[in-house]
Amino acid sequence: MGEQFRRRILPPAGLCLAVLLVLAVVVPSRALDGSFEDWVVSLRSEALSRGVSAETFDLTFANVTLIPRVLELDRRQPEFVQTFWRYLDARVTPARIERGRRLLAENASLLEAVHQRYGVQPRFIVAFWGMESSFGDDTGNFPLAASLATLAYDARRANFFRDQLLTLLHLIDRGDISPDAQGSWAGAFGQTQFMPSTFKAYAVDFDGDGHPNLWTSLPDIFASSANYLASIGWDGSSTWGREVALPYDFPYALSGIETEKPMSEWAQLGVVNIDGSPLPTSTLSASLILPGGVNSGPALLVYRNFRKIMNWNNSLLYAVSVGHLADRIAGGDPFATLRYDDGSPMSRQQVEEMQSLLLLRGLDTGGVDGLVGAKTREAVKRFQEQASLPADGYPTVALLDQLRSTQ
């Protein structure tokens, strides 16, 4: 690429922001007023008033009880922010790539038929399938109605899960889902891991048997994924993004999903393809993201479809992993950026301390909660600019140490 380009200017210590490891700190649940039995009576009355048959409700709730494990999982407070390479390596594995390629070939005719109907490229459908359920291996083993009832009875997010439970009852009533269906602890189900409301809005009966089936029917599974993506604006003529190289003087404050520029403007700023060749002439707009921060991981220009992947799961790392898995399934190469150790995960307590120190400097983090959201990223950027550091908005232990030393 030539000496004028670089990707790292500090010792590797970058951390990703979007996805959190599951290390548990259990918080007590808070039930709604009244017993669960009384709550079920009230729910039954509402369900029947909304058109659910008494037979469906009684059959579904015949064996429904509260599931303490569901509340435990819902109360888990993430302790660490997972690093980029560790997240990617756990999901875009050689075995998953190889199996994805085989399944892409085995289902080529069906995937092409879905592509022709909805405009979503087969490699992306297979990548979502692999990410959501490991190609159907892991669809969840919690009783679906009981999981949703447990979360709907709990006060924390009662309204959301009550609506999901009522929607599930409608789906059972019309024969789309079995009363004893299983799914994840949070109520997602099938090989696409749709919630009941998503199923109701986007599930497709592509095999023509009268009911969408996201557990065993590949035509319905593929078409439902594609229908969802097409409905939210997927561009079937474009991809998700590309790996790039940045010049020495790149203004890192322009990085982040919030900033969009035409490809021509990124080229004017010195951004080139990872092999050093010029960016393609295109009317596409893109954002430049650094999923592992300045010091670790690739620099990526991401397009409209990347945002659509984040509509499915609002996680930067999830979206990068889906896009990269789709590329690898289609025969693409691994990221070319040299791999560095991306450091130890930053603890929730460390993030809370960082937020407190940023607030003391008059930088709004949106509160002190140990979670790195958009406001915290923006506050980190502002501090980095003040300290003449690359303003990528990514918190690290080294940055926390610098905040401590400047108080």
Side-chain angles (χ1 to χ4, degrees):
M1 293 190 298
E3 292 298 320
Q4 71 271 32
F5 295 104
R6 68 173 180 177
R7 276 290 297 116
R8 293 168 185 84
I9 60 177
L10 295 173
L15 295 175
C16 75
L17 303 176
V19 179
L20 303 171
L21 283 175
V22 182
L23 295 179
V25 176
V26 177
V27 177
S29 63
R30 183 169 64 89
L32 297 173
D33 292 336
S35 69
F36 180 65
E37 291 75 15
D38 289 343
W39 179 85
V40 171
V41 171
S42 171
L43 180 74
R44 186 180 190 276
S45 177
E46 181 178 359
L48 268 57
S49 73
R50 293 192 182 191
V52 175
S53 71
E55 180 182 5
T56 290
F57 188 95
D58 295 341
L59 178 63
T60 302
F61 270 78
N63 297 307
V64 166
T65 59
L66 294 176
I67 306 176
R69 178 62 174 160
V70 167
L71 293 178
E72 178 187 340
L73 291 168
D74 185 55
R75 287 304 192 275
R76 280 183 171 180
Q77 298 298 318
E79 175 110 9
F80 292 102
V81 218
Q82 195 172 1
T83 59
F84 170 72
W85 289 117
R86 294 178 193 183
Y87 181 93
L88 191 77
D89 289 347
R91 290 156 181 81
V92 186
T93 63
R96 184 168 283 178
I97 293 166
E98 178 57 33
R99 189 177 178 193
R101 289 174 178 172
R102 176 171 56 80
L103 291 169
L104 182 71
E106 288 177 1
N107 296 283
S109 296
L110 172 59
L111 286 162
E112 183 55 30
V114 172
H115 179 207
Q116 291 298 318
R117 174 77 63 87
Y118 298 103
V120 179
Q121 304 94 313
R123 69 183 186 276
F124 287 104
I125 297 173
V126 175
F128 276 106
W129 184 26
M131 285 288 290
E132 288 299 321
S133 65
S134 293
F135 309 110
D137 288 348
D138 184 12
T139 59
N141 57 6
F142 284 84
L144 196 53
S147 295
L148 287 171
T150 299
L151 293 166
Y153 178 63
D154 182 57
R156 195 167 79 86
R157 290 182 288 170
N159 290 338
F160 172 78
F161 284 108
R162 188 181 183 97
D163 286 342
Q164 294 298 320
L165 180 55
L166 288 166
T167 300
L168 176 69
L169 289 166
H170 277 287
L171 296 173
I172 294 171
D173 207 29
R174 73 186 195 187
D176 288 341
I177 295 178
S178 169
D180 59 358
Q182 294 188 327
S184 77
W185 66 266
F189 57 88
Q191 297 191 34
T192 56
Q193 288 296 281
F194 279 7
M195 292 296 288
S197 59
T198 308
F199 181 100
K200 182 178 180 181
Y202 301 106
V204 174
D205 174 26
F206 203 71
D207 62 13
D209 69 353
H211 298 282
N213 174 357
L214 300 188
W215 280 274
T216 60
S217 170
L218 289 184
D220 295 0
I221 291 162
F222 296 161
S224 297
S225 297
N227 183 44
Y228 172 76
L229 292 167
S231 297
I232 63 173
W234 185 269
D235 182 358
S237 65
S238 180
T239 186
W240 68 278
R242 66 178 58 238
E243 188 178 9
V244 295
L246 309 178
Y248 273 92
D249 59 351
F250 181 77
Y252 286 100
L254 295 177
S255 66
I257 197 68
E258 303 84 6
T259 301
E260 273 191 285
K261 291 181 176 296
M263 293 285 281
S264 59
E265 290 190 23
W266 291 117
Q268 290 169 9
L269 288 166
V271 180
V272 296
N273 289 318
I274 191 62
D275 62 3
S277 62
L279 294 177
T281 302
S282 172
T283 59
L284 286 175
S285 290
S287 296
L288 192 138
I289 64 169
L290 302 167
V294 168
N295 304 314
S296 180
L300 304 168
L301 280 178
V302 295
Y303 312 133
R304 174 185 179 184
N305 284 345
F306 185 84
R307 286 175 167 75
K308 304 310 171 186
I309 299 174
M310 290 187 71
N311 281 128
W312 187 303
N313 183 325
N314 190 27
S315 159
L316 195 74
L317 288 196
Y318 176 89
V320 171
S321 297
V322 168
H324 189 52
L325 180 59
D327 288 348
R328 298 298 305 280
I329 286 172
D333 295 324
F335 287 127
T337 298
L338 294 176
R339 295 179 64 119
Y340 291 88
D341 178 13
D342 48 3
S344 299
M346 197 172 186
S347 74
R348 183 186 181 95
Q349 184 177 9
Q350 288 172 322
V351 174
E352 289 176 348
E353 182 183 358
M354 175 176 285
Q355 290 170 326
S356 297
L357 293 173
L358 290 167
L359 284 169
L360 285 174
R361 299 179 69 95
L363 299 171
D364 181 16
T365 64
V368 178
D369 58 6
L371 303 177
V372 184
K375 285 191 174 182
T376 297
R377 290 195 296 269
E378 187 62 26
V380 169
K381 269 190 179 184
R382 300 288 76 81
F383 172 75
Q384 289 169 325
E385 289 176 324
Q386 293 171 8
S388 300
L389 297 171
D392 60 7
Y394 286 80
T396 66
V397 175
L399 191 67
L400 175 58
D401 288 339
Q402 186 153 353
L403 271 166
R404 289 166 176 161
S405 67
T406 56
Q407 292 304 307

